[in-house]
Amino acid sequence: MTITDSAQQTDPRTVYFTAATWVSALLGAVRPEQLELPTPCDELDVRHLAGHLVSTVRRLIAIAELGSPDSVSPWSSVHDAGSFDALVEQARAAWADDAALDAPVVVPWGAVPGRSAVWGYARELLLHGWDLAVATGQPADVDPALVEPVAEEFRAMLPPDARIPGVPFGAVVEPRPEAGALERLANFSGRSSDGWV
């Protein structure tokens, strides 16, 4: 499967930073008493999921600087919107040069062009944003136009028949008939909506 022309022509940075604005609002609305709540991510409560979202931005910055994302822990004790926003601004500066999108970089899933890295981390924000939203009772819908290019890239990168043990995405879950675009993306990644929506 190949990525459609519309996904190829979309600047992944636009998608990423729009998703980051949504995630920031979610983080800002998490109440202290919600930090211990479970999430659709196995074994992650809200506190750890929020800290992971912060760490994903740090990792994207490291990738832009041609470092290894493995040099940055996937977990952070910092999980507030202000810290997230400050890192997003650093990421915006780190990825400002258009040439960065075609430069070879190293990501946890291999060596790829920079644009593939940004797509991957946009997917992280949307999927974990959905996790955070449903775990804390916040609206879990975003504009389908934001989700679709990420979904196209994801389907091309990891089709259902390519899922193997150890890959951090489970078998595709059949979506509810009324599921929106983001919930369908979560289902495609292997997350079940049961008990969350």
Side-chain angles (χ1 to χ4, degrees):
M1 181 182 296
T2 58
I3 302 173
T4 66
D5 287 343
S6 63
Q8 288 176 339
Q9 293 170 6
T10 301
D11 188 330
R13 295 170 298 187
T14 301
V15 175
Y16 178 86
F17 292 114
T18 303
T21 298
W22 174 63
V23 168
S24 174
L26 295 174
L27 289 169
V30 173
R31 302 188 305 275
E33 65 269 21
Q34 294 179 312
L35 291 172
E36 309 302 324
L37 292 176
T39 73
C41 287
D42 293 342
E43 301 178 6
L44 288 186
D45 61 15
V46 168
R47 181 191 312 274
H48 289 95
L49 176 62
H52 177 61
L53 280 162
V54 170
S55 286
T56 64
V57 187
R58 286 192 177 121
R59 291 186 136 203
L60 187 60
I61 294 166
I63 291 166
E65 295 170 349
L66 303 183
S68 168
D70 293 336
S71 66
V72 178
S73 171
W75 313 109
S76 173
S77 60
V78 175
H79 51 76
D80 62 286
S83 298
F84 178 84
D85 291 346
L87 286 166
V88 167
E89 288 311 304
Q90 291 179 39
R92 193 183 301 276
W95 286 93
D97 187 347
D98 290 347
L101 295 178
D102 295 316
V105 297
V106 176
V107 293
W109 57 95
V112 299
R115 72 181 63 252
S116 295
V118 180
W119 278 124
Y121 282 88
R123 181 177 63 244
E124 283 266 303
L125 289 184
L126 287 174
L127 288 175
H128 287 313
W130 183 84
D131 295 330
L132 183 63
V134 298
T136 57
Q138 298 186 59
D141 290 327
V142 296
D143 186 343
L146 183 66
V147 178
E148 284 312 314
V150 174
E152 290 172 10
E153 187 274 342
F154 192 23
R155 286 191 294 266
M157 185 196 80
L158 191 64
D161 58 0
R163 310 282 169 100
I164 58 173
V167 171
F169 301 104
V172 174
V173 173
E174 183 67 26
R176 304 177 304 136
E178 66 272 31
L182 184 54
E183 184 180 341
R184 288 176 179 273
L185 179 65
N187 297 151
F188 185 79
S189 78
R191 290 159 166 78
S192 174
S193 304
D194 291 349
W196 298 105
V197 296

